Amino acid sequence: MKHLTILVPEGKGNNISSIAGAYKIFSRANDFRSLNGSRPVFTIELVGLSGSATFYDGLFSVRPHKQLREVKSTDLIIIPSLNHAFDEALKQNSELVNWLKEQHAKGAEIASICTGAFLLAATGIIDGKKCSTHWAAADELRKRYPTINLQPDLLITDEDGIYTNGGAYSFLNLMIYLVEKFYGRETAIYCSKVFQIDTGRDSQASFAIFNGQKRHGDDLVLAAQEFMEKRVAEKFSVDGLCDTFRIGRRSFDRRFLRATGNSALEYMQRIRIETAKKALESSVETVAEIMYGSGYSDAKAFRDVFRKITGLSPAEYRLKYQQLVF
């Protein structure tokens, strides 16, 4: 039988739901196998750095089955979501970094949930590899670990035995994905039905809120961003922006991309689409009116950019988010 390690990191702000959820789903998968006359796939153990970890200001605690030093080898490791105070979280769990590297070198596969990607990235294991995390933490992860191939729109990544997922409760989709990989399709469908988890999702793009990448320290780029955000509905050109700020196009393009991770044109597209999203969520304007108010005059171009950024058409987005109470 294989061994599954669900890590219990230190830190009061860590997410207990991703620990308990992973444990419940894999336990149910084992039970389903047993009921159908097959051996369970994994021995499942919660493993931590101490005998007990507390969560949410001491309201909850988890007592791991084993401490880290007791686990010499394992087959699959799940890293749960971390405290968003990343410096503190990484410092408190530095021992896990070396252990993860050792286990990976022995052949263990590793799955990170949400901001657990920060702990995974600290190992260097995913340098050059695809990785996702919560959309709200993507800029910080990119800043800290620029060598990873960050794919923040993807709900799940799978490369060379390393699995990552987007954010929050989308970890349930990753768990079903792993159950299918290790137990088979029948068990995965059973678990998805028992826990009522929608399958088939591959993107978290429609959930993302674009707040702009402004923690970069380049005052000129920051001024350009604010200038653009105040003129969403106006005609836009990068050359015109360069003239306004009296800077050459090549230099501006280089500085803007380095500071934000987007070209100026991509940035304007994202703030225009964010404007359209908010209008689709709350207003009674037609899609055409929202399109014009967001700076677009070509319906096809608007739909294409909207779908590229959110994964949905404007009409689909409105249907998904406009009415939440029935």
Side-chain angles (χ1 to χ4, degrees):
M1 193 182 303
K2 294 183 177 181
H3 186 270
L4 167 61
T5 296
I6 301 173
L7 293 179
V8 182
E10 294 293 311
K12 294 181 180 179
N14 296 334
N15 190 327
I16 193 173
S17 63
S18 56
I19 297 171
Y23 184 77
K24 285 281 290 181
I25 290 172
F26 276 93
S27 295
R28 183 56 68 94
N30 273 349
D31 292 343
F32 181 74
R33 291 269 297 188
S34 297
L35 287 171
N36 285 277
S38 300
R39 290 184 62 195
V41 173
F42 286 108
T43 297
I44 307 166
E45 291 185 323
L46 272 58
V47 176
L49 294 171
S50 61
S52 179
T54 59
F55 297 81
Y56 305 115
D57 297 321
L59 286 173
F60 305 100
S61 64
V62 174
R63 295 189 297 275
H65 297 101
K66 289 182 178 178
Q67 294 188 33
L68 196 69
R69 60 179 178 272
E70 300 177 78
V71 181
K72 303 304 180 183
S73 65
T74 188
D75 297 288
L76 176 63
I77 302 163
I78 294 177
I79 307 171
S81 180
L82 289 181
N83 182 351
H84 283 219
F86 298 117
D87 288 331
E88 177 185 358
L90 291 171
K91 183 178 180 180
Q92 287 180 304
N93 294 286
S94 59
E95 190 177 342
L96 291 177
V97 174
N98 290 329
W99 184 83
L100 285 165
K101 288 193 287 188
E102 291 170 4
Q103 295 303 318
H104 180 256
K106 292 178 181 179
E109 300 188 37
I110 304 173
S112 71
I113 291 171
C114 192
T115 51
F118 283 77
L119 192 60
L120 178 60
T123 67
I125 291 169
I126 55 171
D127 287 351
K129 291 185 171 64
K130 289 185 292 186
C131 175
S132 188
T133 189
H134 195 290
W135 56 262
D139 288 341
E140 181 66 23
L141 186 65
R142 183 185 288 110
K143 180 181 176 182
R144 287 173 180 261
Y145 305 104
T147 56
I148 66 175
N149 179 12
L150 187 60
Q151 301 286 327
D153 287 344
L154 294 182
L155 198 70
I156 295 170
T157 68
D158 174 349
E159 185 172 356
D160 298 333
I162 303 294
Y163 314 93
T164 69
N165 95 286
Y169 288 94
S170 71
F171 84 87
L172 297 170
N173 295 89
L174 175 61
M175 295 303 101
I176 296 298
Y177 180 87
L178 293 173
V179 167
E180 181 171 359
K181 197 171 189 75
F182 290 97
Y183 291 78
R185 181 69 174 168
E186 183 183 9
T187 307
I189 291 173
Y190 171 78
C191 288
S192 73
K193 290 181 176 179
V194 167
F195 294 101
Q196 299 186 34
I197 302 168
D198 287 331
T199 58
R201 290 173 52 206
D202 59 5
S203 173
Q204 64 172 340
S206 67
F207 298 99
I209 300 171
F210 184 69
N211 293 316
Q213 305 102 326
K214 296 181 179 178
R215 296 174 55 195
H216 48 67
D218 190 320
D219 290 341
L220 183 141
V221 172
L222 182 60
Q225 289 173 278
E226 292 174 349
F227 182 89
M228 294 160 70
E229 289 165 8
K230 292 176 182 177
R231 295 164 175 80
V232 169
E234 298 178 13
K235 187 176 180 180
F236 172 77
S237 77
V238 180
D239 287 334
L241 194 63
C242 292
D243 290 342
T244 298
F245 288 92
R246 299 179 181 179
I247 183 173
R249 174 68 184 266
R250 183 176 296 180
S251 177
F252 178 78
D253 286 345
R254 183 173 61 251
R255 286 175 64 173
F256 200 97
L257 183 62
R258 183 173 63 243
T260 70
N262 293 120
S263 69
L265 180 58
E266 290 169 338
Y267 192 87
M268 177 56 91
Q269 287 177 336
R270 296 202 64 161
I271 59 178
R272 282 176 166 173
I273 296 304
E274 194 62 31
T275 299
K277 284 165 58 181
K278 291 176 181 177
L280 288 165
E281 292 164 7
S282 59
S283 81
V284 294
E285 293 179 305
T286 66
V287 171
E289 289 170 330
I290 290 170
M291 175 189 74
Y292 289 120
S294 304
Y296 287 92
S297 57
D298 183 298
K300 183 179 184 304
F302 174 62
R303 287 195 304 270
D304 288 348
V305 175
F306 195 98
R307 185 177 289 280
K308 177 183 176 182
I309 290 176
T310 70
L312 301 171
S313 71
E316 289 168 339
Y317 187 90
R318 167 168 269 172
L319 184 64
K320 184 180 181 72
Y321 286 110
Q322 190 174 55
Q323 184 176 350
L324 297 178
V325 179
F326 297 91

